[in-house]
């Protein structure tokens, strides 16, 4: 069977290669090639979006219709069982076949564009489709837009690799796929194009824009053919009731920023909590499904179906038409937040686009009800604020204000709401960026040590904290030290500056050799102390938990040679100092981290073959294999040690390689033999 698969795969590659060679012989221009490939991606993304939406409906009908009918006797507790069953299916599916399908998907696409030339494994599209459809169809509180963007991006990447295109063209096709998926979902090709440029690529370019627009429009046309001109939301006509109403929209934008930042932080807090639970990763979605079911069981429902389950478009439409009371909107806002972070934190697969719109609609309607009751003569109905709140929360969460404004504008088709829409969204984005430097997409990458700027990973120093490289063995001087003694300290230590501390080791100032020279040039220094010449205010400091890149920019801003490190913003206790020499150590450490990350990425890219995969084992002190060569270690037949990481050194494993304490061993083995492997290597 495997021989047939290999033969078929080789035949596909040969056909793709021949097609590319034929196109190359036609001497097509750059623009023609881009147009042709982006058109193909647009058709594929449109069909993929149509199929994915059908798949979600089918799973939901099967879950709450077929399985729900079978569980008729335990209603309403079937709401606990169905999400848990869904987790039991998509959890192992993601874990064993495509880890990239976990979560909301867009950060993985951004990482592929920034670090791997847009290359994404083709299987991701299949696994993401199945996992997200099962997750959403069984009640997962996530959106379908992120998965569709990742599915379209994977399609674009696959086509680019199939035609053996350059990294630049593949990245372009990845953006085309994302735009096509979003366009087919919302019937909003302009906003989808801007999303691909603003979020996926992080830059605007004429060539990129043309290709992305072609793909988005094509996907939108395909969606129209199969699903008609149906919009995602029914939008009533709203207008600006009074110019003074803009003040309220600005306030709504500020509130939306707070909700967006809370969503970002609570989402990744939830991931950390679930990551800390000592059970297999592929089992966690089952428990997440049970918890989600409990939330659905106890909250608002529509015809017996919890409003916080699934994408929630029906509830968003209700908010746009002002159908809910103030208590219901506020309740749905909080409950949707809890349901979403539970679904994604436990390992679910789905987007954050729809949850952001849901929470924004509920926040906007609640705010609109309050201001309309207080100022009925100068305010629009609450539904107008729900509409603006959708864009404001999404813009604050994604830091993509242009996309947020355009997608709501395209859905309304009404210019009269654009001014409050722009004001609230920009206000939300500005405040959100002040409160949280990272968006809901980039924070996931930052936590992996990847820092993007204009779509490129530019600052490896952001992966190293000040606390990792600061010098803790430092010389300090008290403010009361006479200048004669200070001069002796400079001579004895050859330092060019000292931190000045009080009796509690709290930083109070900085004194440099130049300060002393200036004082001596003015006259006798007898009777003077450090306090008289030191800089005692406006001090530049660093903190142990901040990125080294930020500290370096602070050093460069004042052209100083050292930066004191204090315990915290409200705790001035001196804990270390960063000197110019520490920068080299920071860079070396950053390079080691980057190499480790790239090694991990390549390991994931290689993936798993049948029931085998790559595993990592740390060799502790006292392990039975310490001091033995690899060829002396009796491992199962289905196991092969391939790499040994020793400190900063990466060793390709040979039979004569001697294992030492604290080695990190990478091996390729079947899952079944791993308990025996651990027993042999570690003695567990």
């Amino acid at each position: 069977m495997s021989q047939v698969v290999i033969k078929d795969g080789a035949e596909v590659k040969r056909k793709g290669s021949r097609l590319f060679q034929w196109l190359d012989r036609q001497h097509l221009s750059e623009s023609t090639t881009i147009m042709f490939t982006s058109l193909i991606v647009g058709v594929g993304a449109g069909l993929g979006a149509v199929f994915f939406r059908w798949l979600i409906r089918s799973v939901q009908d099967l879950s709450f219709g077929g399985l729900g009918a079978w569980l008729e006797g335990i209603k309403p507790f079937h709401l606990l069982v169905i999400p848990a069953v869904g987790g039991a299916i998509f959890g192992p599916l993601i874990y064993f076949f495509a880890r990239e399908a976990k979560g909301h998907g867009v950060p993985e696409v951004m990482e592929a564009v920034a670090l791997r030339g847009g290359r994404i494994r083709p299987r991701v599209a299949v696994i993401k489709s199945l996992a997200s459809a099962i997750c959403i169809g069984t009640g997962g509180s996530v959106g379908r837009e992120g998965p569709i963007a990742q599915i379209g991006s994977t399609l674009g990447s696959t086509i680019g690799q199939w035609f053996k295109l350059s990294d630049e063209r593949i990245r372009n096709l990845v953006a085309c796929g994302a735009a096509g998926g979003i366009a087919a979902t919302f019937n909003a090709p302009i906003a989808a194009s801007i999303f691909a440029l603003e979020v996926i690529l992080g830059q605007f370019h004429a060539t990129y824009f043309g290709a992305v627009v072609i793909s988005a429009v094509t996907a939108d046309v395909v969606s129209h053919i199969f699903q008609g001109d149906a919009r995602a939301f029914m939008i009533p006509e709203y207008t600006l009731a009074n110019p003074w109403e803009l003040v309220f929209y600005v306030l709504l934008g500020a509130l939306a920023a707070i909700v967006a930042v809370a969503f970002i932080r609570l989402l990744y807090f939830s991931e950390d909590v679930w990551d800390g639970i000592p059970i297999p990763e592929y089992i966690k979605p089952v428990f997440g499904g049970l918890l989600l079911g409990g939330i659905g069981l106890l909250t608002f429902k529509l015809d017996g179906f919890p409003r916080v389950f699934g994408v929630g478009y029906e509830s968003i439409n209700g908010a746009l038409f002002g159908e809910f009371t103030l208590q219901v909107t506020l309740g749905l806002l909080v409950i949707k937040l809890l349901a979403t972070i539970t679904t994604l934190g436990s390992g679910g697969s789905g987007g954050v686009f729809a949850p952001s719109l849901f929470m924004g609609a509920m926040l906007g309607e609640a705010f609109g009800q309050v201001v309309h009751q207080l100022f009925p003569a100068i305010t629009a109905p609450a539904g107008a604020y729900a509409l603006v709140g959708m864009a404001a929360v999404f813009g604050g969460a994604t830091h993509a204000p242009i996309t947020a404004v355009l997608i709501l504008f395209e859905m309304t088709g009404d210019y009269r709401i654009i001014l409050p829409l722009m004001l609230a969204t920009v206000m939300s984005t500005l405040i959100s960026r002040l409160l949280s430097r990272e968006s809901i997409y980039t924070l996931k990458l930052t936590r992996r040590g990847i820092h993007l700027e204009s779509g490129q990973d530019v600052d490896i120093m952001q992966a190293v904290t000040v606390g990792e490289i600061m010098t803790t063995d430092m010389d300090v001087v008290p403010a009361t030290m006479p200048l004669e003694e200070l001069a002796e300290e400079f001579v004895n230590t050859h330092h060019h500056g000292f931190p000045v501390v009080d009796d509690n080791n709290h930083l109070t100032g900085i004194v440099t050799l130049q300060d002393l020279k200036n004082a001596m040039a003015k006259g006798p220094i007898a009777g003077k102390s450090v306090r008289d010449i030191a800089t005692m205010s406006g001090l530049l400091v660093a903190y142990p938990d901040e990125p080294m890149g930020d500290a370096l920019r602070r050093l460069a801003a004042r052209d100083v040679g050292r930066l004191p490190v204090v315990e915290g913003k409200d705790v001035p206790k001196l804990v270390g100092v960063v000197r110019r020499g520490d920068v080299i150590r920071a860079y070396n450490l950053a390079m080691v981290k980057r190499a480790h990350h790239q090694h991990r990425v390549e390991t994931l890219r290689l993936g798993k073959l049948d029931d085998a995969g790559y595993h990592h084992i740390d060799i502790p002190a006292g392990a039975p294999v310490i001091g033995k060569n690899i060829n002396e270690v009796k491992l199962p037949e289905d196991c092969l040690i391939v790499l040994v990481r020793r400190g900063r050194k990466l060793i390709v494993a040979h039979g004569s390689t001697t294992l030492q304490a604290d080695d990190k061993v990478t091996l390729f083995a079947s899952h079944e033999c791993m308990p025996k492997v651990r027993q042999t290597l570690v003695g567990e």
Side-chain angles (χ1 to χ4, degrees):
M1 187 68 173
S2 59
Q3 291 179 349
V4 174
V5 172
I6 293 172
K7 180 179 178 181
D8 291 346
E11 182 65 22
V12 168
K13 289 183 178 180
R14 283 196 295 272
K15 289 181 179 179
S17 179
R18 287 199 298 269
L19 178 58
F20 176 69
Q21 291 171 5
W22 178 83
L23 289 172
D24 202 36
R25 287 196 300 270
Q26 308 311 305
H27 302 291
L28 300 177
S29 65
E30 177 79 7
S31 58
T32 303
T33 302
I34 291 174
M35 182 181 297
F36 175 73
T37 52
S38 59
L39 191 66
I40 294 176
V41 172
V43 172
L47 292 174
V50 170
F51 172 76
F52 182 63
R53 294 172 70 171
W54 171 84
L55 192 59
I56 292 174
R57 289 194 300 270
S58 300
V59 173
Q60 186 168 324
D61 291 342
L62 180 63
S63 300
F64 292 92
L67 182 59
W70 188 69
L71 298 173
E72 182 73 28
I74 64 169
K75 283 187 176 181
F77 297 102
H78 70 295
L79 298 177
L80 295 173
V81 176
I82 293 174
V85 171
I89 298 173
F90 69 74
L93 194 65
I94 293 171
Y95 183 82
F96 291 110
F97 295 100
R99 302 283 187 90
E100 304 97 312
K102 179 182 176 181
H104 40 107
V106 174
E108 283 70 26
V109 176
M110 296 167 66
E111 180 181 356
V113 168
L115 297 183
R116 300 196 296 275
R119 284 168 169 76
I120 305 172
R121 294 190 298 167
R123 70 166 64 178
V124 172
V126 177
I127 302 303
K128 188 69 176 180
S129 300
L130 294 173
S132 295
I134 295 170
C135 182
I136 298 171
T138 56
S141 179
V142 286
R144 64 191 183 202
E145 302 78 15
I148 288 177
Q150 189 175 13
I151 293 165
S153 297
T154 304
L155 175 64
S157 176
T158 301
I159 289 174
Q161 295 177 65
W162 192 46
F163 284 135
K164 303 185 183 301
L165 302 183
S166 65
D167 287 0
E168 191 70 15
R169 288 186 180 181
I170 292 177
R171 281 193 288 264
N172 191 10
L173 292 180
V174 167
C176 289
I182 297 296
T185 301
F186 287 111
N187 287 342
I190 300 175
S193 302
I194 298 301
F195 174 83
L197 298 172
E198 188 177 24
V199 175
I200 302 299
L201 293 176
Q203 56 184 313
F204 292 83
H205 190 281
T207 303
Y208 288 147
F209 183 75
V212 164
V213 167
I214 290 171
S215 184
V217 171
T218 303
D220 192 36
V221 170
V222 171
S223 177
H224 274 261
I225 293 173
F226 287 92
Q227 298 175 332
D229 194 24
R231 297 283 172 174
F233 308 109
M234 299 297 296
I235 308 292
E237 291 187 4
Y238 291 121
T239 60
L240 186 66
N242 188 289
W244 285 103
E245 192 179 10
L246 293 175
V247 175
F248 298 128
Y249 284 110
V250 171
L251 292 176
L252 175 59
L255 290 175
I258 296 172
V259 171
V261 172
F263 181 31
I264 295 171
R265 293 181 177 175
L266 288 174
L267 174 60
Y268 291 105
F269 172 76
S270 175
E271 286 193 2
D272 291 338
V273 170
W274 282 96
D275 286 344
I277 299 176
I279 58 176
E281 186 176 332
Y282 52 86
I283 298 296
K284 293 177 183 179
V286 177
F287 293 95
L290 288 172
L291 186 56
L292 175 66
I295 295 173
L297 184 65
L298 300 174
T299 56
F300 308 103
K301 300 177 182 65
L302 177 65
D303 297 329
F305 188 80
R307 288 187 177 272
V308 295
F309 276 16
V311 293
Y313 282 179
E314 297 84 357
S315 297
I316 294 176
N317 278 317
L320 292 173
F321 282 89
E323 297 177 356
F324 302 132
T325 64
L326 180 62
Q327 293 81 357
V328 171
T329 54
L330 291 176
L332 286 174
L333 169 62
V334 175
I335 295 165
K336 186 66 174 180
L337 175 61
L338 293 176
T340 303
I341 65 174
T342 299
T343 302
L344 291 174
S346 62
S349 178
V352 295
F353 207 127
S356 299
L357 297 179
F358 187 106
M359 288 184 278
M362 298 306 156
L363 172 69
E365 189 189 357
F367 182 84
Q369 288 185 25
V370 172
V371 297
H372 192 64
Q373 286 182 352
L374 296 176
F375 309 98
I378 63 170
T379 56
Y385 290 87
L387 178 65
V388 172
M390 291 167 66
V393 172
F394 174 73
T398 61
H399 294 183
I402 304 176
T403 299
V405 170
L406 284 177
I407 201 164
L408 267 296
F409 174 63
E410 279 196 275
M411 285 193 295
T412 61
D414 192 340
Y415 183 77
R416 291 172 293 181
I417 199 70
I418 196 70
L419 189 56
L421 197 65
M422 292 173 63
L423 271 177
T425 304
V426 170
M427 177 61 67
S428 174
T429 305
L430 290 175
I431 295 177
S432 176
R433 283 176 172 166
L434 289 175
L435 298 176
S436 175
R437 179 176 177 177
E438 305 291 346
S439 73
I440 199 166
Y441 297 140
T442 60
L443 182 57
K444 189 171 187 177
L445 300 179
T446 299
R447 287 154 58 93
R448 300 175 183 172
I450 303 169
H451 303 268
L452 300 185
E453 183 177 319
S454 298
Q456 302 298 320
D457 188 20
V458 294
D459 193 353
I460 65 170
M461 299 295 273
Q462 292 293 108
V464 179
T465 64
V466 169
E468 290 180 280
I469 59 91
M470 68 183 183
T471 300
T472 56
D473 183 14
M474 55 195 164
D475 295 311
V476 298
V477 297
T480 56
M481 174 181 282
L483 293 188
E484 294 92 338
E485 295 184 21
L486 178 65
E488 293 180 6
E489 286 291 322
F490 278 123
V491 171
N492 294 333
T493 62
H494 303 290
H495 291 333
H496 291 82
F498 292 104
V500 181
V501 298
D502 60 16
D503 294 337
N504 296 318
N505 201 40
H506 288 178
L507 180 71
T508 60
I510 292 288
V511 62
T512 66
L513 181 59
Q514 190 61 45
D515 293 332
L516 180 62
K517 289 180 178 179
N518 292 340
M520 295 175 68
K522 294 178 181 178
I525 60 174
K528 294 183 178 181
S529 64
V530 169
R531 183 183 293 107
D532 298 320
I533 66 169
T535 301
M536 307 295 283
S537 61
L539 300 177
L540 286 178
V541 297
Y543 307 101
D545 58 348
E546 72 173 330
M548 188 61 191
D550 293 349
L552 285 179
R553 283 187 282 274
R554 218 166 293 144
L555 279 169
R558 296 277 188 90
D559 194 26
V560 295
R562 65 203 57 78
L563 199 61
V565 183
V566 297
E567 193 169 301
K569 292 184 179 180
D570 300 322
V571 185
K573 182 179 180 181
L574 186 69
V575 294
V577 64
V578 175
R579 298 190 177 95
R580 294 186 191 274
D582 296 324
V583 176
I584 301 300
R585 291 198 303 114
Y587 181 79
N588 289 336
L589 181 58
M591 290 298 293
V592 170
K593 286 190 173 184
R594 171 56 51 80
H596 177 69
H597 173 75
Q598 290 176 339
H599 169 62
R600 183 170 59 85
V601 167
E602 286 302 308
T603 299
L604 289 175
R605 186 181 66 83
L606 288 173
K608 302 178 183 302
L609 300 175
D610 298 326
D611 66 338
Y614 287 94
H615 303 269
H616 307 280
I617 297 179
D618 295 341
I619 306 297
V625 295
I626 292 178
K628 292 185 178 181
N629 292 343
I630 289 177
N631 56 15
E632 298 174 342
V633 179
K634 296 182 179 180
L635 293 172
E637 291 184 0
D638 297 331
C639 174
L640 176 67
I641 296 177
V642 292
L643 291 172
V644 177
R645 179 176 293 279
R646 185 169 296 155
R648 298 183 180 181
K649 188 176 182 181
L650 192 64
I651 303 170
V652 177
H654 298 282
S656 59
T657 302
T658 304
L659 297 176
Q660 299 180 9
D662 298 325
D663 280 351
K664 298 180 183 298
V665 174
T666 299
L667 48 90
F668 190 83
S670 65
H671 301 296
E672 294 180 356
C673 72
M674 281 308 299
K676 185 175 181 181
V677 171
R678 291 185 181 277
Q679 174 66 33
T680 302
L681 295 180
V682 182
E684 293 180 350

